[in-house]
């Protein structure tokens, strides 16, 4: 049965946060990401696939069959947000994970302060999941973790890593006395020389352009820095890079946390 014009319009609209929020859903594409999500506890709402892939995914994940609809290549192109659509388009219910105060300060949390790029955010989610970080805590103005570009960049890790959006200052105020808040600053201590061996801590990463904002910086009691090792005196390399991409910095930070734990 072909998709109706209304279905196509609705599925296409899920690229926008407003419409995802109205129906409390998110979407994902490509077989690899879709299969990661099908293998998770998240609730599938609908699955649309080309005939050859529909048969394969139905055999591997029989639970999805009642929600699986075969569509044409032309229909997939109309609902897809990708330049080159790949076989399948899925709709899932958005998970809602409240952050209890007793949980917020247990284990290792990566904390994002105003990160705006969904591709960066998705990569950070994937990195945090890879290194076994306990949760991602985001300021309320951080990019939407369930924006399609972010979901794709995370390669399905949004289904596994708990992600919370909170008022960082108010939530941090509930921390036990002396709780370690680490943050990356140019004037911080060399991360490769500092002890990070603590079972419970928050590690802050700031906005791509402006870093950690002043109100959040006031919380931080342990400033760290990822130094450059680039030579700056060679004629063909007169300057070191100004800064690291936020996702790259997150990868280095997570690797160092795991090295010290």
């Amino acid at each position: 049965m072909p998709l109706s014009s209304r279905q196509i319009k609705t599925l296409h609209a899920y690229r926008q946060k407003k419409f995802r929020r109205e129906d409390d859903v998110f979407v994902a594409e490509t077989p690899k990401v879709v299969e990661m999500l099908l293998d998770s506890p998240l609730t599938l709402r609908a699955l649309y696939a080309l005939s050859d892939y529909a048969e394969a995914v139905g055999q591997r994940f029989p639970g999805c069959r009642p929600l699986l609809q075969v569509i044409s290549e032309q229909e997939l192109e109309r609902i897809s947000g990708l330049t080159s659509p790949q076989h399948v388009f899925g709709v899932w219910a958005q998970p809602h994970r409240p952050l209890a105060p007793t949980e917020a300060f247990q284990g290792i949390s990566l904390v994002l302060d105003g990160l705006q790029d969904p591709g960066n955010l998705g990569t950070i989610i994937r990195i945090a999941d890879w290194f076994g970080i306990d949760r991602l805590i985001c300021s309320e103005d951080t990019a939407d973790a369930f924006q399609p570009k972010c979901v794709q960049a995370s390669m399905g890790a949004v289904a596994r890593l708990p992600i919370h959006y909170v008022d960082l200052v108010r939530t941090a105020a509930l921390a036990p006395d002396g709780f370690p808040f680490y943050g990356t600053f140019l004037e911080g201590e060399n991360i490769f020389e500092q002890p990070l061996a603590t079972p419970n801590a928050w590690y802050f990463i700031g906005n791509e352009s402006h870093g950690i904002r002043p109100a959040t910086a006031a919380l931080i009691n342990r400033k760290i820095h990822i130094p450059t090792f680039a030579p700056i005196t060679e004629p063909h390399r007169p300057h070191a890079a100004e800064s690291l991409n936020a996702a790259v910095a997150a990868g280095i930070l997570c690797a160092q946390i795991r090295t010290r734990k």
Side-chain angles (χ1 to χ4, degrees):
M1 181 177 177
L3 294 178
S4 68
S5 297
R6 184 174 181 179
Q7 281 179 298
I8 291 172
K9 183 178 179 180
T10 298
L11 295 171
H12 188 270
Y14 287 154
R15 301 181 196 185
Q16 299 179 48
K17 186 175 183 179
K18 171 186 174 181
F19 297 106
R20 293 195 303 275
R21 280 192 167 180
E22 283 182 0
D23 289 352
D24 204 24
V25 298
F26 73 97
V27 301
E29 301 188 60
T30 75
K32 188 168 186 179
V33 174
V34 163
E35 289 172 21
M36 293 287 276
L37 293 171
L38 288 173
D39 202 28
S40 79
L42 298 189
T43 301
L44 177 68
R45 291 278 183 86
L47 194 65
Y48 306 91
L50 303 183
S51 57
D52 56 344
Y53 182 72
E55 183 177 352
V57 76
Q59 289 179 352
R60 185 172 176 190
F61 300 96
C64 79
R65 287 175 181 165
L67 299 168
L68 175 59
Q69 181 173 345
V70 175
I71 60 174
S72 68
E73 290 187 12
Q74 292 74 22
E75 289 173 320
L76 182 60
E77 288 175 358
R78 292 183 69 184
I79 64 176
S80 174
L82 302 178
T83 304
S84 300
Q86 297 183 38
H87 305 289
V88 64
F89 183 103
V91 183
W92 278 263
Q94 276 206 30
H96 296 284
R97 301 176 173 118
L99 182 61
T102 52
E103 176 191 11
F105 306 105
Q106 296 295 319
I108 299 297
S109 299
L110 200 60
V111 184
L112 305 183
D113 185 27
L115 208 76
Q116 294 300 302
D117 184 84
N120 263 344
L121 176 57
T123 303
I124 289 172
I125 292 169
R126 186 178 181 185
I127 289 167
D129 178 53
W130 181 266
F131 282 102
I133 301 302
D134 293 293
R135 68 191 61 82
L136 195 67
I137 300 176
C138 304
S139 65
E140 293 170 321
D141 61 345
T142 289
D144 179 12
F146 294 97
Q147 197 258 22
K149 184 176 179 181
C150 182
V151 173
Q152 294 302 129
S154 81
M155 294 305 292
V158 291
R160 293 186 299 274
L161 181 71
I163 303 169
H164 309 277
Y165 285 81
V166 303
D167 182 313
L168 294 182
V169 175
R170 288 184 180 180
T171 305
L174 303 174
D177 290 343
F179 185 83
F181 293 112
Y182 289 87
T184 51
F185 294 87
L186 289 175
E187 70 273 19
E189 300 293 334
N190 187 331
I191 189 174
F192 302 112
E193 298 174 353
Q194 295 304 301
L196 302 177
T198 173
N200 307 306
W202 281 19
Y203 289 88
F204 287 80
I205 293 176
N207 174 274
E208 294 91 342
S209 301
H210 307 295
I212 297 172
R213 73 192 88 196
T216 311
L219 303 169
I220 292 168
N221 49 30
R222 290 166 172 79
K223 293 185 177 183
I224 53 178
H225 174 59
I226 302 172
T228 178
F229 295 90
I232 58 175
T233 57
E234 297 179 12
H236 63 289
R237 294 178 67 181
H239 303 288
E242 182 182 348
S243 63
L244 288 173
N245 170 278
V248 173
I252 295 170
L253 179 57
C254 290
Q256 287 300 305
I257 291 168
R258 279 298 161 206
T259 298
R260 315 298 175 80
K261 276 182 72 69

